[in-house]
Amino acid sequence: MAKVKTVHVCQNCGSQSPKWVGRCTNCGEWNTFVEEAVVKETKSPLSSRTASGSKPQKLNEVRTEQTQRIDCCNRELNRVLGGGLVPGSLVLVGGEPGIGKSTLVLQVALDLKSKKILYVSGEESIQQIKIRANRLKRENDNCYFLSETSLENILTHCEHLEPEVLIIDSIQTVATAHIESSPGSVSQIRECTNAISKFSKERQIPAILIGHITKEGSLAGPKVLEHMVDTVLQFEGENQYLYRILRSIKNRFGSTSELGIFEMNNEGMREVTNPSELLINRDHEGLSGTAISGAIEGNRPLLIEIQSLVSTAAYGTPQRSSTGFDLRRLNMLLAVLEKRAGFKLASKDVFLNIAGGIKVDDPAIDLAVISAILSSNFDLAIDKKLCFTGEVGLSGEIRAVNRLEQRIAEAEKLGMQKIFIPKNGKSLNLSKFKIQIEEVNRVDDFFKKLFRKN
């Protein structure tokens, strides 16, 4: 009879301890150890899978002509993946509950009519999936659905059906009988992901795994889960807004700087090919506190609207609030305005918002942020045909930004008449643009030019 060993496993980082401890010595979390029974002497048949006939090879002996990416029939998803699904790869999709993970993956399964797909759901019945597919108004006779949580049964169906794409919704609901712990535990997630990874790579079948996230916003399960998969995609966005951003956190077959933008509607996730037109409100003519910035998200240029409200502090201590923009960077910009440009904002409440519910980390929107702040402070409206791009330094200088020509081209395409850029942009070929270009060097000189005609 196999000897059973009991260990305590941290549900946050996966570290093990022979006895229960209150605080994990590895990650520092409290009350995360759960007792699990592990069969020590019996090896798992899942972990003993090996690629038959494998041998060491030189790179010049490896043939890649037949390794072609699978088109997902979704341009935004293909952009984030780097051109489509790679055969034998594992893609992990995470995000808040209700943000659209299952909806997007189901759309891909129903639109990909040229491949045989197995969609395994451990959270919904087939009848519930049918209702959601009817809402999406899509059909695919080459897509098979299975409601199952047993890993052994899932792999058995895969061997019989021989799908070309495998979808698991979600990995936290799948469990193997080899591990005596509940689904979603560290041991179950690690073992199930490892078995699916080996099955996928042996048969060159791409697998898409949907994963839950914790209350802190990170993917649930051990950190090793993100190391085991090839690509990690993260959904971002507020439930109150219609827009969703799909970011690539890890990608072994493409760039991690790409992102896809979707709009949630009654028929699922719609691709947003020109997000600048949707993120900019054209009806703020004559209103102060609004500025347009040329930003770069991933490899895509887009125009975003910066909104600011500056008012006298009513409760003594001034408030600083930011939505979609780093609060620490906002405090830094306010300090630059006070120290280098002489604007007194220490006794003012400052509220900043990036319209559309998106989050932007591009430092090139600094110039638009301080423009919106001073516009609201002096109650002077900025012309809606003006655009700003430039990073603000601690000494008050306006620093150069990368890919300036793409920002200018996007502003010109959206009908902007004038754009403010850093002064060292003269080294670029700016004569090809029809839009009026104003070069600025320092913050104090910039505001003299900006409010001269406003």
Side-chain angles (χ1 to χ4, degrees), residues 220-244:
K223 195 66 177 178
V224 70
L225 174 62
E226 299 182 39
H227 293 285
M228 294 173 66
V229 300
D230 300 304
T231 305
V232 180
L233 306 182
Q234 183 79 19
F235 253 119
E236 298 177 0
E238 300 291 338
N239 291 331
Q240 294 81 8
Y241 293 93
L242 299 177
Y243 304 113
R244 303 286 188 267

Side-chain angles (χ1 to χ4, degrees), residues 122-397:
E123 300 178 341
E124 297 177 295
S125 65
I126 298 182
Q127 290 76 15
Q128 292 174 317
I129 299 176
K130 174 66 174 179
I131 295 174
R132 190 147 51 91
N134 291 337
R135 178 173 59 86
L136 298 178
K137 298 181 180 179
R138 287 173 167 85
E139 292 183 358
N140 186 1
D141 293 335
N142 214 16
C143 184
Y144 297 84
F145 295 91
L146 174 67
S147 180
E148 183 60 67
T149 59
S150 173
L151 176 64
E152 289 78 10
N153 293 340
I154 292 174
L155 295 181
T156 300
H157 286 290
C158 289
E159 292 176 350
H160 292 165
L161 186 62
E162 296 183 353
E164 298 174 88
V165 178
L166 175 63
I167 298 175
I168 306 292
D169 183 10
S170 64
I171 188 61
Q172 277 79 13
T173 62
V174 180
T176 174
H178 175 65
I179 303 295
E180 296 183 7
S181 60
S182 60
S185 63
V186 172
S187 302
Q188 288 284 5
I189 294 176
R190 182 173 57 241
E191 185 72 16
C192 293
T193 305
N194 183 42
I196 295 174
S197 175
K198 289 184 177 180
F199 180 86
S200 174
K201 296 186 183 305
E202 286 176 8
R203 292 163 174 78
Q204 290 296 295
I205 300 173
I208 301 177
L209 311 179
I210 296 180
H212 299 164
I213 66 171
T214 63
K215 60 182 181 181
E216 290 83 12
S218 59
L219 284 164
K223 195 66 177 178
V224 70
L225 174 62
E226 299 182 39
H227 293 285
M228 294 173 66
V229 300
D230 300 304
T231 305
V232 180
L233 306 182
Q234 183 79 19
F235 253 119
E236 298 177 0
E238 300 291 338
N239 291 331
Q240 294 81 8
Y241 293 93
L242 299 177
Y243 304 113
R244 303 286 188 267
I245 294 179
L246 186 64
R247 295 183 184 272
S248 176
I249 301 177
K250 171 189 175 182
N251 194 351
R252 289 173 177 165
F253 310 109
S255 172
T256 57
S257 61
E258 283 290 359
L259 60 85
I261 302 180
F262 300 88
E263 181 184 8
M264 176 73 82
N265 54 30
N266 294 332
E267 297 182 1
M269 307 290 287
R270 186 182 69 86
E271 305 171 47
V272 178
T273 56
N274 190 2
S276 299
E277 293 184 349
L278 298 177
L279 297 176
I280 296 179
N281 182 13
R282 302 287 186 175
D283 300 330
H284 57 74
E285 182 70 27
L287 300 178
S288 62
T290 302
I292 306 298
S293 175
I296 294 289
E297 279 294 302
N299 291 325
R300 164 185 289 175
L302 71 157
L303 300 186
I304 59 175
E305 180 179 325
I306 311 294
Q307 299 174 344
S308 177
L309 179 62
V310 180
S311 61
T312 304
Y315 303 102
T317 304
Q319 301 183 60
R320 302 287 189 262
S321 178
S322 175
T323 303
F325 187 75
D326 188 7
L327 182 59
R328 293 174 297 181
R329 192 165 188 86
L330 173 61
N331 291 327
M332 184 202 74
L333 294 177
L334 294 176
V336 171
L337 291 177
E338 181 122 5
K339 179 71 174 180
R340 304 299 182 185
F343 296 105
K344 304 301 180 182
L345 299 172
S347 60
K348 302 291 184 67
D349 291 336
V350 180
F351 303 94
L352 191 73
N353 176 51
I354 297 182
I358 66 173
K359 182 179 180 181
V360 180
D361 297 324
D362 188 3
I365 69 174
D366 289 351
L367 201 58
V369 169
I370 60 178
S371 301
I373 291 174
L374 292 185
S375 171
S376 177
N377 183 52
F378 297 116
D379 200 19
L380 295 174
I382 298 177
D383 189 353
K384 65 179 182 179
K385 294 295 184 179
L386 296 183
C387 184
F388 308 89
T389 183
E391 180 183 357
V392 176
L394 290 178
S395 62
E397 82 279 10

Side-chain angles (χ1 to χ4, degrees), residues 411-442:
E412 186 178 66
K413 184 177 69 174
L414 269 292
M416 296 294 166
Q417 297 177 352
K418 187 176 182 180
I419 182 171
F420 288 87
I421 65 172
K423 196 167 186 177
N424 54 3
K426 290 183 178 180
S427 59
L428 302 175
N429 182 18
L430 304 180
S431 59
K432 61 182 179 180
F433 298 106
K434 297 180 180 179
I435 186 175
Q436 183 182 354
I437 299 175
E438 184 81 27
E439 297 176 335
V440 289
N441 188 27
R442 294 191 56 82

Side-chain angles (χ1 to χ4, degrees), residues 87-134:
S89 64
L90 258 70
V91 179
L92 179 62
V93 182
E96 293 282 347
I99 203 169
K101 306 183 297 296
S102 300
T103 300
L104 177 62
V105 173
L106 180 60
Q107 283 184 211
V108 173
L110 296 178
D111 290 339
L112 199 57
K113 301 180 186 296
S114 61
K115 302 291 182 180
K116 183 186 293 186
I117 301 174
L118 177 59
Y119 188 107
V120 182
S121 177
E123 300 178 341
E124 297 177 295
S125 65
I126 298 182
Q127 290 76 15
Q128 292 174 317
I129 299 176
K130 174 66 174 179
I131 295 174
R132 190 147 51 91
N134 291 337

